[in-house]
Amino acid sequence: YRSPNFAGFSVHAAYAAAEGQYIGDTQGSFANTAGFQIPTARLNLENPMGFNARWAAGPINIGVAYDLNTADYDTTGVYGSYDFGFMTLYGQYETGTINNAAGTAKEDTGASSISAKIPMGAGTFKAGYVGVSSGLANKDVNKYGLGVQYDLSKRTNIYSNIGDAGGDRATGTQSDMRFDIGVTHRF
């Protein structure tokens, strides 16, 4: 359900059947490779559901959300942005439960991020940081990133991003730097 917008305030709600997602469907994703995958024994424990309340007026956009997935893992988060005119600043904080790295129990986790988007003519510069920490396994992930996008037209842009991920859970090493270059076209 998506409510109408009442003076900037809106509510979204979702409910689904507990069909579960096969672990192989997420093979190669961050969730699977970083030890966050859902063990098969935990699938279909709950009917997934979610709720979001959002207020967006002028330069302010704030949301609060809750979701519960099929493995009975939940997430609660606060998200927001502020448009200063010359740049937009974004932030989030989430807390919830995930599967521990060994696949034997649920563990508490927290995540926070801060990022900025700075438009300059046809170009946009982006910078951000995200950190994830877990209590039971006492392992963390952090990532720093920079990016640039150049608009060739209203529907086409070229972009490049570079990021450095580190921490116990990301790669098992000190650092893992990656980059991408691409073209986006909206049909």
Side-chain angles (χ1 to χ4, degrees), residues 137-149:
N138 197 24
K139 295 194 176 201
D140 66 342
V141 176
N142 51 64
K143 180 180 177 183
Y144 301 89
L146 295 172
V148 64
Q149 172 183 313

Side-chain angles (χ1 to χ4, degrees), residues 62-156:
I62 299 173
V64 176
Y66 171 81
D67 68 73
L68 177 71
N69 72 10
T70 185
D72 192 28
Y73 300 153
D74 65 324
T75 304
T76 304
V78 178
Y79 314 90
S81 68
Y82 190 88
D83 187 346
F84 289 93
F86 69 97
M87 80 169 199
T88 303
L89 186 65
Y90 302 87
Q92 76 173 48
Y93 176 76
E94 292 181 358
T95 184
T97 55
I98 59 173
N99 186 62
N100 70 351
T104 57
K106 286 170 45 172
E107 68 178 73
D108 294 330
T109 186
S112 57
S113 72
I114 186 164
S115 60
K117 183 171 69 171
I118 306 165
M120 295 183 132
T124 302
F125 295 94
K126 302 172 275 185
Y129 166 80
V130 63
V132 179
S133 62
S134 60
L136 188 62
N138 197 24
K139 295 194 176 201
D140 66 342
V141 176
N142 51 64
K143 180 180 177 183
Y144 301 89
L146 295 172
V148 64
Q149 172 183 313
Y150 186 80
D151 296 330
L152 300 172
S153 69
K154 288 184 178 184
R155 297 181 352 182
T156 306

